[in-house]
Amino acid sequence: MIQGVVNAALEATVSLTVQGPSGQSRAIDAVIDTGFNEFLTLPAALATELGLTAVTRASAILADGSEATFDVYSVEVLWDGYLRHADAYVSDATPLAGMRLLVGHSLYVEVENGGRVVIQTRE
């Protein structure tokens, strides 16, 4: 089970650890974005710090309807006690945890400042 908290902006957040290819890791706070259909977004500075390798470029439609192109990096995420491969879109916005990361899990959110966020594996 992964637990997080709803922040003052009413964003459901979780703390995740991301790891680079040489084993270096960093804890991040990510906003759960149910409108983002991929795994994760990370800041460029963090991708550089972890020594991540770019694997491709991809286009995405943003919430405002505009299209943007992103570098996509390979990263490992500590997810519910296990290291899991994820593609990370590099963006200078707040890190996002997308729906592809949540596949096979249930999401429970108490929508209020300080509310609980719970992600559980579905049985």
Side-chain angles (χ1 to χ4, degrees), residues 34-60:
T34 60
F36 178 49
N37 295 334
E38 296 299 331
F39 287 97
L40 193 63
T41 67
L42 295 174
L46 181 55
T48 300
E49 176 185 325
L50 294 176
L52 302 182
T53 303
V55 292
T56 192
R57 290 180 60 80
S59 296

Side-chain angles (χ1 to χ4, degrees), residues 6-82:
V6 174
N7 65 22
L10 297 181
E11 298 168 324
T13 66
V14 291
S15 293
L16 300 174
T17 298
V18 291
Q19 181 175 302
S22 297
Q24 63 279 43
S25 64
R26 175 116 177 272
I28 62 166
D29 290 324
V31 172
I32 298 169
D33 185 348
T34 60
F36 178 49
N37 295 334
E38 296 299 331
F39 287 97
L40 193 63
T41 67
L42 295 174
L46 181 55
T48 300
E49 176 185 325
L50 294 176
L52 302 182
T53 303
V55 292
T56 192
R57 290 180 60 80
S59 296
I61 305 296
L62 305 180
D64 67 3
S66 64
E67 185 174 346
T69 302
F70 299 90
D71 290 325
V72 180
Y73 289 74
S74 180
V75 68
E76 298 291 322
V77 179
L78 186 58
W79 183 259
D80 206 14
Y82 299 94

